C-alpha cells in the first residue's frame, strides 16, 4: 500500500475525530486535534519498525517544533499490530522512554483491534491502523483538566472513566 493511500485513510479517521459528536457533549471525540492540524502542530508519520526505530521517530518529534505526533504503525517483519496488546505495548514504550530520559513526554497507543468504547462509541474501531500519539505529559494533563469543565465526559460510563483513568480532582461528582 502506498504512503499516500495510508495517509488518506488516516486523514479520514482524523476528520471523524474532529467532528462534533453528541456522545461527547457536542464536542469532537478528540477536541484538541483540529487546532493541532490547523496550526500544523501535528507531526504525522508512517512507522515501519523494520526501517526505523521508535526512538529515531521520538527524537525527530522532540527536536521538531511540533506539539504532538501521530505514528501510523505498519505491519513489518516480526510485528503484526493486530497481535499486539495495546495496554502492554503502551506500558513498555512508556517505561523505556523514562529509562532513556524522555521524562517529559508520553506515548498513548490506540488499537482498532481492541474492544474499546468511550461514551458508548467504538471510537478506535474506526481507525485504519494501530496508532501511537506522542505529546508532552504536561500538555496532555492540562488538556485532560480542561475537559472536566465541559460536558465531554457526561455520557461516559463509570467503567469507561475507570478504564481511561481520567478523574476530576473530586471523583465523587462529574461536572459538579
Amino acid at each position: 500500500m502506498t504512503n499516500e493511500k495510508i495517509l488518506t485513510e488516516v486523514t479520514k479517521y482524523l476528520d471523524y475525530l474532529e467532528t462534533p459528536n453528541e456522545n461527547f457533549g457536542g464536542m469532537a471525540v478528540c477536541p484538541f486535534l483540529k487546532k493541532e492540524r490547523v496550526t500544523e502542530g501535528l507531526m504525522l508519520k508512517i512507522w515501519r519498525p523494520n526501517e526505523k526505530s521508535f526512538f529515531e521517530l521520538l527524537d525527530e518529534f522532540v527536536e521538531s517544533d511540533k506539539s504532538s505526533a501521530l505514528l501510523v504503525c505498519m505491519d513489518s517483519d516480526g510485528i503484526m499490530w493486530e497481535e499486539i496488546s495495546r495496554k502492554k505495548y503502551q506500558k513498555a514504550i512508556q517505561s523505556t522512554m523514562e529509562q532513556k530520559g524522555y521524562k517529559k513526554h508520553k506515548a498513548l497507543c490506540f488499537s482498532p483491534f481492541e474492544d474499546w468504547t468511550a461514551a458508548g462509541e467504538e471510537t478506535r474501531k474506526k481507525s485504519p491502523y494501530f496508532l501511537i500519539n506522542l505529546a508532552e505529559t504536561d500538555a496532555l494533563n492540562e488538556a485532560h483538566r480542561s475537559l472536566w469543565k465541559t460536558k465531554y465526559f457526561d455520557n461516559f460510563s463509570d467503567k469507561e472513566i475507570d478504564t481511561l483513568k481520567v478523574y476530576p480532582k473530586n471523583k465523587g461528582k462529574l461536572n459538579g
Side-chain angles (χ1 to χ4, degrees), residues 25 30 64 66 85 94 116 151 153 155:
C30 186
S64 76
K66 305 295 184 185
S85 163
Q94 200 59 47
W116 182 278
K151 295 181 180 291
F153 292 107
N155 295 320

Side-chain angles (χ1 to χ4, degrees), residues 147-158 161 166-176:
L147 288 177
W148 282 111
K149 300 171 189 162
T150 71
K151 295 181 180 291
Y152 185 83
F153 292 107
D154 284 4
N155 295 320
F156 280 60
S157 69
D158 289 342
I161 295 290
V166 290
Y167 308 106
K169 284 186 180 176
N170 177 4
K171 282 189 192 183
K173 181 82 173 143
L174 299 185
N175 297 319

Side-chain angles (χ1 to χ4, degrees), residues 7 51 69 71 80 83 93 109-110 118 139 144 151 169 173:
L7 292 176
E51 294 175 8
L71 306 182
M80 301 300 288
E83 298 171 1
I93 287 176
C109 298
F110 303 94
H144 161 252
K151 295 181 180 291
K169 284 186 180 176
K173 181 82 173 143

Side-chain angles (χ1 to χ4, degrees), residues 95-119:
S95 175
T96 306
M97 286 171 61
E98 289 172 18
Q99 290 170 10
K100 290 184 174 264
Y102 296 92
K103 298 182 189 295
K104 291 172 48 176
H105 294 87
K106 191 164 196 159
L108 300 173
C109 298
F110 303 94
S111 174
F113 312 110
E114 167 181 46
D115 286 329
W116 182 278
T117 61

Side-chain angles (χ1 to χ4, degrees), residues 45-59:
K45 291 284 185 175
I46 297 169
W47 180 38
R48 292 179 175 86
N50 59 329
E51 294 175 8
K52 209 171 212 183
S53 79
F54 170 78
F55 286 96
E56 286 176 284
L57 288 173
L58 178 59
D59 284 338

Side-chain angles (χ1 to χ4, degrees), residues 11-108:
T11 298
K12 189 174 174 182
Y13 177 63
L14 297 180
D15 291 343
Y16 154 73
L17 292 176
E18 285 182 8
T19 303
N21 185 316
E22 285 309 309
N23 288 347
F24 296 87
M27 298 174 70
V29 175
C30 186
F32 307 102
L33 179 60
K34 186 172 187 172
K35 180 181 177 189
E36 294 287 304
R37 290 173 70 193
V38 168
T39 62
E40 298 182 5
L42 177 67
M43 180 179 104
L44 182 59
K45 291 284 185 175
I46 297 169
W47 180 38
R48 292 179 175 86
N50 59 329
E51 294 175 8
K52 209 171 212 183
S53 79
F54 170 78
F55 286 96
E56 286 176 284
L57 288 173
L58 178 59
D59 284 338
E60 186 178 334
F61 163 62
V62 169
E63 293 166 10
S64 76
D65 62 349
K66 305 295 184 185
S67 49
S68 65
L70 188 64
L71 306 182
V72 181
C73 303
M74 305 307 296
D75 290 343
S76 59
D77 294 339
I79 296 184
M80 301 300 288
W81 292 100
E82 189 169 354
E83 298 171 1
I84 300 293
S85 163
R86 181 216 44 92
K87 188 175 183 178
K88 286 180 183 177
Y89 195 78
Q90 180 172 299
K91 282 183 178 183
I93 287 176
Q94 200 59 47
S95 175
T96 306
M97 286 171 61
E98 289 172 18
Q99 290 170 10
K100 290 184 174 264
Y102 296 92
K103 298 182 189 295
K104 291 172 48 176
H105 294 87
K106 191 164 196 159
L108 300 173

